[in-house]
Amino acid sequence: VLFRSKGDASLFTEADRDAAAIEKGKARLEEARKAYMAAPAIEQSIAIEVMSPMGEQKMGMSSRYGKDKSFMVDIPDQMSMTGVGGKLFAVLPIAPDKYVERSIEGPDGLSKAIGELTGGGGLPDPAAPFRLMPKDDLTGLLGMGIIMQPKVAGFRAGDAGSQVLIEGNGGSSVLTFDGKTGLIDRIDVVSQPPGAPAGFEMKIAFVLDAKVMKELPKPIAFDTTGRTVAPTMQDLIPQPKALEVGQAAPSFDLEDLDGNMVSLASLRGSVVVLDFWATWCGPCRAALPRLAELGRWAEDNGIPVEVVAINTSEQSRDLAVRRKRIAEFLDDQGFDARGLEFLFDLDGEVAGAYGVRGLPTTIILDATGRVVSVKAGFGPGSEERLKQDLLDLFEGGDPAEPGGALEDGVG
């Protein structure tokens, strides 16, 4: 049966893209808006799958829509947002005892409040603009924060439903609508992010399972009991205390790619360069080959330095999944990783203990385990500055052996 599988922009023919088809696509979006708004209540689950050269990620979310534009969208481990009684509430799972509140005022008050609390990204639930924002431009909202300046580019109808093609700067998306309910079945996005390497492509699939009902099993409500209100979303995030130069570094015991446990204590006697990174972080990806070169440079020059890349802040907290993903990531990147030791900070606890507020963050520890420097970000010249920091540290003697000296010619 046509249109039960994923949407593919390449299947839209010339006739599916002509002016008449584009008008049909725009009309289909408005018909879907009417279907969402006419439903007394909606309960749905959404499966999201992201495919990129860095690997595959899967996540899920759920949402409920009730009377008087009340709604709740829950993204496990990320955020919960509730709209009820003319107010919008947001909670982060890392701070369940706090919340942010905004009043919804005026016809565009909800879209403004959602934009403010999501940093302009909007809710990742494709049903939200259809159900909640009757006067907003649907095409712009359906860019999903991924496609810039999106426009309806095509339409085609099938036995089981219809599809609308959206195109814009940075990619395209195909919306598949159920022929019976008029609601969205799935959205398939293909994105080429600006500034990404040639050939880099990201595919995102939103698969929706929506149930229309007369009323929700439980009315939507937000309980403020035992919670304190915070002024902004940033205030919900516990800020790790920054490390100070000269401070003893927090201890850790983390697994490496081979399943061996590595502790900070086991590295004592060498200067340690810790790099906190994630696969989704562009500057992190750029930094890793340079840090590997730094590790080989130190080894070639007889400098007792260990360069340790601590993977943190990833979607999965399962060690086997993370180990497989990082191994595939390194294979896809294709750089010489000799000189780096990779460790896994599954829950971000070590990154928090080290005061990491952004990625990448590079921290140098002396041979006694004390903090020498903390640097956030990685750009042109960063590798040379790290080398100089190491040489400055060793100047006049090896920190592991205060009386020792480096061989001539190093540096």
Side-chain angles (χ1 to χ4, degrees):
V1 179
L2 191 58
F3 299 158
R4 285 302 184 187
S5 59
K6 67 179 181 180
D8 186 342
S10 68
L11 297 179
F12 281 71
T13 66
E14 187 173 336
D16 296 332
R17 292 171 171 265
D18 65 18
I22 289 174
E23 290 305 313
K24 289 180 180 178
K26 293 178 180 178
R28 185 67 194 84
L29 294 182
E30 290 304 324
E31 289 168 6
R33 193 202 300 261
K34 291 178 183 177
Y36 274 100
M37 296 189 69
I42 301 173
E43 198 169 60
Q44 68 176 3
S45 61
I46 305 173
I48 304 173
E49 181 175 335
V50 181
M51 295 289 295
S52 77
M54 295 176 290
E56 177 182 342
Q57 288 186 345
K58 293 183 179 181
M59 60 180 288
M61 58 179 288
S62 61
S63 57
R64 297 187 296 142
Y65 296 89
K67 299 178 180 179
D68 302 320
K69 288 191 177 181
S70 62
F71 73 94
M72 186 180 77
V73 175
D74 181 51
I75 310 171
D77 299 324
Q78 293 191 34
M79 180 184 68
S80 177
M81 190 170 287
T82 303
V84 63
K87 293 186 177 181
L88 184 66
F89 304 90
V91 176
L92 299 182
I94 57 174
D97 58 339
K98 297 181 180 179
Y99 66 96
V100 174
E101 175 185 321
R102 292 290 183 271
S103 294
I104 301 171
E105 301 174 353
D108 60 349
L110 179 58
S111 58
K112 284 184 177 180
I114 291 175
E116 179 186 347
L117 297 188
T118 61
L123 294 174
D125 179 1
F130 290 95
R131 176 78 176 186
L132 302 176
M133 302 168 190
K135 294 186 178 181
D136 286 4
D137 174 39
L138 285 171
T139 306
L141 293 169
L142 291 172
M144 306 299 291
I146 303 169
I147 303 171
M148 300 298 104
Q149 298 178 321
K151 296 180 179 179
V152 174
F155 172 83
R156 64 187 194 134
D159 297 337
S162 57
Q163 291 184 328
V164 175
L165 174 64
I166 306 289
E167 291 183 334
N169 295 337
S172 64
S173 66
V174 176
L175 284 69
T176 301
F177 294 90
D178 184 277
K180 293 182 179 180
T181 66
L183 306 183
I184 298 174
D185 264 344
R186 63 182 291 146
I187 298 181
D188 294 278
V189 182
V190 178
S191 171
Q192 300 85 31
F200 183 97
E201 186 176 77
M202 181 179 294
K203 297 181 179 180
I204 309 172
F206 298 81
V207 181
L208 290 74
D209 180 12
K211 295 180 175 62
V212 176
M213 51 189 69
K214 292 183 178 180
E215 61 180 18
L216 295 173
K218 183 178 179 181
I220 292 172
F222 184 82
D223 188 1
T224 60
T225 305
R227 290 170 164 166
T228 57
V229 63
T232 69
M233 295 296 287
Q234 190 65 30
D235 292 302
L236 297 182
I237 303 172
Q239 294 298 317
K241 185 178 180 181
L243 294 182
E244 297 181 359
V245 172
Q247 175 183 344
S251 61
F252 60 74
D253 291 274
L254 299 173
E255 284 201 36
D256 65 11
L257 278 171
D258 297 319
N260 302 312
M261 294 299 298
V262 177
S263 66
L264 179 61
S266 70
L267 303 175
R268 197 64 54 85
S270 295
V271 169
V272 178
V273 178
L274 299 177
D275 179 64
F276 290 88
W277 71 286
T279 56
W280 48 263
C281 165
C284 299
R285 297 194 300 272
L288 289 175
R290 307 284 79 81
L291 290 167
E293 290 177 8
L294 178 68
R296 295 194 297 273
W297 167 83
E299 183 177 355
D300 292 344
N301 285 279
I303 304 176
V305 172
E306 297 287 341
V307 183
V308 180
I310 299 181
N311 177 248
T312 189
S313 301
E314 301 283 4
Q315 183 68 36
S316 175
R317 296 187 178 187
D318 181 273
L319 180 59
V321 172
R322 283 273 281 275
R323 185 181 288 121
K324 179 175 182 291
R325 185 175 172 208
I326 298 307
E328 292 173 347
F329 167 82
L330 294 174
D331 186 58
D332 289 340
Q333 294 296 298
F335 69 89
D336 186 354
R338 290 178 302 116
L340 276 179
E341 181 163 21
F342 289 90
L343 304 181
F344 297 96
D345 180 22
L346 295 178
D347 56 8
E349 184 176 339
V350 175
Y354 275 77
V356 174
R357 298 182 181 180
L359 298 178
T361 292
T362 307
I363 300 172
I364 297 179
L365 311 178
D366 67 18
T368 67
R370 294 192 176 276
V371 177
V372 174
S373 70
V374 179
K375 289 182 170 63
F378 197 95
S382 293
E383 181 186 3
E384 291 304 318
R385 286 191 290 273
L386 278 174
K387 284 183 180 179
Q388 190 57 55
D389 285 345
L390 293 175
L391 290 174
D392 291 345
L393 183 60
F394 280 92
E395 186 175 354
D398 184 336
E401 299 177 10
L406 291 175
E407 296 180 4
D408 292 339
V410 173

